[in-house]
Amino acid sequence: MKHFLLAILLLLNYGSLLAEEPSNKSAVAVTIESTNLSGLKSARETFTTFLHSMNDIKRGQAKRINDAMSTLDLSDINPLIRQEKGQDLAWTLLEAIDKTKVVNLKKVPNYNKGKPYVFARYENGDISIEQHSDGRWLFNKNTISSLPYLIEKLASKKSLKVDDADAQFIPWHIQLRQQLPEPLRTRTFLLENWKWLGILLTIALGVIADKLTAFLLHFSVKRFRLNTKTPAFKEAPEDMLRPLAMLIMAAIWWAGLNLLALPDQAMIILLVAVKVLAGISGVWGAYRLVDLVTLYLRYQADKTDNKVDDVLVPLIRKTLKVFVTVIGITFVASNLNLNVSSLLASLGLGGLAFALAAKDVVQNLFGSITVILDQTFHTGDWVVVDDIEGSVEEVGLRSTKIRTFYDSLITVPNSLFITAKVDNMGQRRYRRLKCNVSLTYDTHPDKIEAFCEGVRELIRLHPYMRKDYFHVYLNSLAASSLDVLIYVFWETPDWSTELRERQRFLLDILRLARAQKIDMAFPTQTLHLLTPQDQQSTSQPSIPSIDVLNEQFKSSANNIISESIKDGTKPPPVKF
């Protein structure tokens, strides 16, 4: 209990640290923003930062794209596509500037405060830089929103700035659009015609790649199953690597959508769908890998006599799948720009409530650990827990599945095994039989003793019977029979073998009795009907005195004992 309370306190402390993290992050963010003003203190610095960053990217410094994006006001761009869209907008802005006029940075104002700087005006908007409330000078929202229309109007113009061919780098969709004929650049419905064709082509390439990859992977797995020397891997399903084909399809769609530079709403819908598909495919593929590892572990476990590993294999499989699921959810959440830290912080703040709600989960987890450490039972054991009786099919993290003898499946929470009494019938070394063989009263005593010795010989000869401990004796003078006690054990691995050997033994007893002409008794009553004439004719014989009778019975007892116990010595204890 102390350890449990300590775990709760640690969880609460961790939650408080996570809860404080946003405020710390905000403080750090303010510091970072203040230091980032070094390249954004004026319109000239912002323009310089943008142009130098884009030129460095052309020369191979791809990481400078973040510096270029920092000069753009992307607050109106959805966070889900801000990174992809920001990169595309940076290149679009550079293309628009290069087709408008040659930039003379000395003519760009360098004041820290003042009115916005307008680089150029067009029919559908302008390119301007203005100061934000935090002091940064950025290309404003109007500039960002009007870029698609500006680049459409400037499409027929040539760039006024020409770099070396080796340093030239323009986004694929801009280069392609410049080469397309006018009909394809026309906006017929929502998007330009060439973008509709691009979407169709991307989907087709993804589907074709999925089918082709699935076929190749199916063929590879089939050959692997035929050539592998590990028997466990021969049971692997032929479509085991199918999720990898879906992952390739999602990757093609992801890349294709980013290259097409679609509008924000379309990008949000399609990219979210593709990211979720990629996450599901990754989790599914990891599940298949876990199943493959489980096949190998089960193969190794079957080679050992220890049954602990038979219980551990399902637990390892479920634990790995839970871990993979958590990783998959985290991946999807991070790609959807969900604040995972805030979610963890909220869980930390509600740690106590969560711990109370998860009390049963924790108890079930400790119950499964108890079953493994104490080896309470193993898979296949016949157990009796309270009023539940059956064979253990599977031991999981939360519950244990027991197959009853009427073929129903009962799921028992593992927390029950912490306090419940478990009668493990499967752990019996021997299976016991205790019964009486009833003989008729007219059976001669010597035959009864010989019959008991014959049954003992059967026990010695039966292969599964315990030879070092058994009892066969006349045990009771019942109302209608002479009862011979038979108390024996079998050393059998399972109940089916026990039933077979029990039948064999009981039938051999019947064969022995029939061979020696010994009759089995059954409950009977003898009725004597006397008529009045029988009562008158019946004469009572004379009975000797009690003293004479005592002497007669004592003499008979001495004769019997002298015959049954030789030399009058005390028999030793029974030894097997």
Side-chain angles (χ1 to χ4, degrees):
M1 188 64 182
K2 293 180 179 178
H3 296 289
F4 183 67
L5 292 176
L6 180 60
I8 292 178
L9 291 176
L10 290 175
L11 182 61
L12 290 175
N13 290 333
Y14 181 65
S16 63
L17 289 176
L18 287 176
E20 294 173 0
E21 186 177 356
S23 61
N24 293 337
K25 283 186 175 179
S26 62
V28 173
V30 172
T31 305
I32 291 174
E33 287 179 0
S34 63
T35 56
N36 282 345
L37 290 177
S38 58
L40 307 171
K41 292 180 180 179
S42 65
R44 181 184 295 179
E45 286 192 9
T46 299
F47 224 132
T48 303
T49 300
F50 176 76
L51 293 177
H52 287 179
S53 299
M54 299 305 292
N55 288 331
D56 289 342
I57 295 172
K58 291 180 180 181
R59 296 182 178 92
Q61 300 181 30
K63 294 182 179 180
R64 290 279 285 167
I65 188 64
N66 292 325
D67 295 332
M69 290 171 55
S70 67
T71 65
L72 310 180
D73 185 359
L74 301 175
S75 57
D76 284 349
I77 305 298
N78 193 293
L80 294 176
I81 59 172
R82 186 171 292 169
Q83 183 66 26
E84 296 87 352
K85 197 69 176 178
Q87 296 179 15
D88 183 69
L89 288 171
W91 285 107
T92 305
L93 176 60
L94 179 65
E95 184 71 9
I97 293 173
D98 288 345
K99 288 188 175 184
T100 301
K101 60 182 178 179
V102 177
V103 180
N104 187 355
L105 292 176
K106 295 181 179 180
K107 293 183 179 181
V108 179
N110 197 29
Y111 47 75
N112 294 332
K113 293 183 179 181
K115 62 181 181 179
Y117 165 69
V118 179
F119 172 74
R121 296 186 184 276
Y122 308 91
E123 293 181 5
N124 298 325
D126 56 39
I127 297 177
S128 57
I129 303 175
E130 66 180 14
Q131 187 179 29
H132 281 228
S133 58
D134 57 7
R136 294 180 300 163
W137 285 77
L138 303 176
F139 290 96
N140 58 28
K141 298 178 182 178
N142 293 332
T143 300
I144 301 303
S145 61
S146 61
L147 279 177
Y149 304 99
L150 296 182
I151 202 65
E152 186 174 350
K153 293 296 182 181
L154 297 172
S156 58
K157 294 185 177 182
K158 294 184 178 181
S159 177
L160 301 177
K161 181 181 179 182
V162 180
D163 295 332
D164 295 335
D166 295 338
Q168 186 74 12
F169 183 86
I170 299 176
W172 176 85
H173 71 91
I174 295 178
Q175 297 182 46
L176 176 64
R177 192 179 186 281
Q178 294 174 351
Q179 304 300 324
L180 292 175
E182 184 64 26
L184 291 178
R185 288 184 289 175
T186 304
R187 190 187 302 269
T188 304
F189 177 72
L190 298 179
L191 302 177
E192 296 178 359
N193 294 336
W194 74 273
K195 291 185 178 181
W196 284 115
L197 293 176
I199 293 175
L200 180 62
L201 182 61
T202 300
I203 294 175
L205 287 177
V207 173
I208 293 173
D210 171 62
K211 298 300 181 182
L212 181 60
T213 307
F215 173 77
L216 295 176
L217 292 175
H218 184 276
F219 179 74
S220 300
V221 172
K222 194 172 182 179
R223 290 197 60 185
F224 172 75
R225 290 177 54 181
L226 293 175
N227 298 329
T228 182
K229 296 181 180 179
T230 305
F233 293 152
K234 294 183 180 296
E235 300 177 6
E238 293 183 356
D239 61 344
M240 180 183 64
L241 300 179
R242 180 67 178 83
L244 294 181
M246 291 184 60
L247 197 60
I248 292 175
M249 178 176 66
I252 291 176
W253 287 353
W254 195 333
L257 292 175
N258 286 327
L259 291 175
L260 291 176
L262 299 174
D264 293 357
Q265 294 301 322
M267 283 284 288
I268 291 172
I269 295 173
L270 295 177
L271 275 183
V272 166
V274 171
K275 289 178 180 179
V276 172
L277 176 62
I280 294 174
S281 302
V283 172
W284 187 15
Y287 273 11
R288 290 298 180 86
L289 181 60
V290 170
D291 290 337
L292 184 64
V293 173
T294 303
L295 286 175
Y296 180 75
L297 293 178
R298 185 178 291 117
Y299 167 70
Q300 295 295 333
D302 292 339
K303 291 166 55 177
T304 63
D305 296 330
N306 190 357
K307 291 187 176 181
V308 176
D309 46 13
D310 295 335
V311 178
L312 286 176
V313 169
L315 289 179
I316 292 174
R317 176 176 61 85
K318 290 187 175 182
T319 302
L320 289 177
K321 286 193 173 182
V322 170
F323 176 74
V324 167
T325 303
V326 172
I327 295 298
I329 292 175
T330 304
F331 169 78
V332 173
S334 62
N335 278 279
L336 296 180
N337 282 352
L338 297 178
N339 196 335
V340 180
S341 299
S342 299
L343 178 61
L344 293 176
S346 63
L347 291 177
L349 290 174
L352 180 59
F354 178 77
L356 293 175
K359 180 182 68 173
D360 293 339
V361 177
V362 175
Q363 286 182 345
N364 290 330
L365 179 60
F366 279 112
S368 62
I369 295 175
T370 300
V371 169
I372 294 174
L373 295 182
D374 294 346
Q375 299 187 33
T376 310
F377 49 77
H378 304 101
T379 304
D381 284 352
W382 169 14
V383 297
V384 180
V385 184
D386 293 340
D387 58 342
I388 302 171
E389 181 177 2
S391 178
V392 178
E393 278 203 354
E394 182 180 351
V395 181
L397 289 174
R398 191 194 69 83
S399 61
T400 296
K401 295 180 180 179
I402 298 178
R403 179 75 64 179
T404 64
F405 295 119
Y406 44 88
D407 203 36
S408 67
L409 188 64
I410 298 179
T411 301
V412 182
N414 287 337
S415 58
L416 181 65
F417 300 118
I418 299 178
T419 56
K421 295 180 180 178
V422 181
D423 188 0
N424 191 338
M425 310 293 284
Q427 290 295 317
R428 293 178 298 170
R429 292 180 57 197
Y430 303 104
R431 315 288 176 108
R432 188 187 71 166
L433 170 65
K434 180 182 179 182
C435 67
N436 290 315
V437 176
S438 299
L439 307 180
T440 58
Y441 263 96
D442 58 358
T443 306
H444 194 278
D446 291 342
K447 273 199 167 186
I448 294 176
E449 189 167 358
F451 173 75
C452 292
E453 185 59 33
V455 174
R456 296 188 191 103
E457 187 64 19
L458 288 177
I459 296 172
R460 298 186 191 100
L461 295 176
H462 269 248
Y464 281 94
M465 301 197 78
R466 184 178 180 181
K467 310 298 190 298
D468 59 344
Y469 187 76
F470 56 86
H471 297 292
V472 182
Y473 297 103
L474 178 64
N475 189 53
S476 176
L477 304 177
S480 58
S481 62
L482 302 173
D483 292 340
V484 176
L485 171 67
I486 296 181
Y487 191 81
V488 295
F489 296 86
W490 284 276
E491 189 174 5
T492 56
D494 50 54
W495 191 40
S496 299
T497 307
E498 175 191 355
L499 292 177
R500 185 194 68 190
E501 294 303 315
R502 179 182 295 213
Q503 172 182 290
R504 191 196 309 276
F505 177 64
L506 293 177
L507 290 176
D508 286 348
I509 291 178
L510 293 177
R511 293 187 182 99
L512 176 65
R514 179 168 294 183
Q516 298 301 323
K517 298 181 179 180
I518 293 178
D519 296 328
M520 301 292 179
F522 51 89
T524 58
Q525 289 182 342
T526 303
L527 299 179
H528 296 276
L529 300 178
L530 297 178
T531 63
Q533 292 79 12
D534 294 333
Q535 292 179 355
Q536 293 177 0
S537 62
T538 302
S539 60
Q540 296 291 337
S542 59
I543 299 176
S545 65
I546 187 63
D547 294 334
V548 175
L549 290 174
N550 286 339
E551 291 300 326
Q552 290 178 358
F553 277 79
K554 286 182 179 179
S555 175
S556 297
N558 286 327
N559 293 334
I560 292 173
I561 291 299
S562 63
E563 292 180 2
S564 62
I565 302 178
K566 305 299 182 182
D567 301 330
T569 58
K570 179 180 178 180
V574 177
K575 293 183 179 180
F576 298 95

